[in-house]
Amino acid sequence: MTTTKPIGEFVLDVHMLRQQVEGHKAEKAMREATWEMENAPLLAYLKEATAALEVAEQALRDAGITIYGATGNKQPYPGVEVKILTDIKYSEADAFAWAKEHAIALRLDTAAFSKLAHATPIPFVTYFERPRCDLARDLGAALAKEAAQKDAG
């Protein structure tokens, strides 16, 4: 690229633009701080509601797994679904020895080994299932569906 002005002018341009950017960043930080102060009650309510939601969602998941354990029903309520995940447990020393024996590693890549162990039974790996309860993103739709089923029934 050919330039039509001296390099000193480029330096000055960059310097001035950097000052502008820093000024805008400072203004933004000041406005954000002001907004947070003005909206402190809202932010506190949001924090409390988020914490309460996390507790309520975990209680709902626990209830779904409890019902699944008692009945085997994987859909104990609309919007609540229990999925069975397969987990594995193994000794890293045994896994590393196995990986060396099968010439797939000089050091154990636990992520790769776990994928392989999920796909191919390995004698020293313990396989076990655990339920996980998923919640529909739109529980309102699930509740409406449940209400419609009750009205129809």
Side-chain angles (χ1 to χ4, degrees):
M1 176 177 138
T2 59
T3 62
T4 58
K5 60 184 179 180
I7 193 167
E9 290 183 29
F10 287 111
V11 171
L12 185 57
D13 290 346
V14 169
H15 174 69
M16 289 182 355
L17 287 169
R18 284 181 177 172
Q19 286 182 324
Q20 280 184 345
V21 167
E22 289 307 312
H24 294 320
K25 284 181 180 179
E27 177 72 17
K28 177 185 172 204
M30 187 178 67
R31 288 184 185 197
E32 284 175 344
T34 300
W35 185 90
E36 287 176 5
M37 283 179 13
E38 291 172 352
N39 292 283
L42 170 65
L43 295 173
Y45 296 142
L46 177 60
K47 185 176 181 179
E48 290 172 19
T50 299
L53 175 60
E54 289 172 2
V55 169
E57 284 180 341
Q58 188 57 52
L60 178 54
R61 285 186 181 92
D62 292 346
I65 289 173
T66 299
I67 292 170
Y68 166 76
T71 66
N73 183 357
K74 290 183 179 180
Q75 293 183 323
Y77 202 83
V80 179
E81 181 179 7
V82 175
K83 294 182 179 178
I84 305 303
L85 307 176
T86 300
D87 285 342
I88 61 174
K89 183 177 174 181
Y90 56 87
S91 152
E92 282 199 26
D94 289 341
F96 184 52
W98 181 91
K100 287 194 312 187
E101 178 184 324
H102 289 82
I104 65 167
L106 294 177
R107 73 176 171 81
L108 182 62
D109 178 344
T110 56
F113 182 79
S114 292
K115 285 182 184 178
L116 184 61
H118 273 90
T120 306
I122 299 175
F124 61 86
V125 174
T126 303
Y127 296 83
F128 58 97
E129 293 183 341
R130 71 177 164 88
R132 181 185 77 196
C133 188
D134 292 338
L135 309 179
R137 283 197 189 278
D138 185 359
L139 286 174
L143 292 171
K145 180 179 177 183
E146 175 70 8
Q149 288 174 347
K150 283 184 181 178
D151 289 345

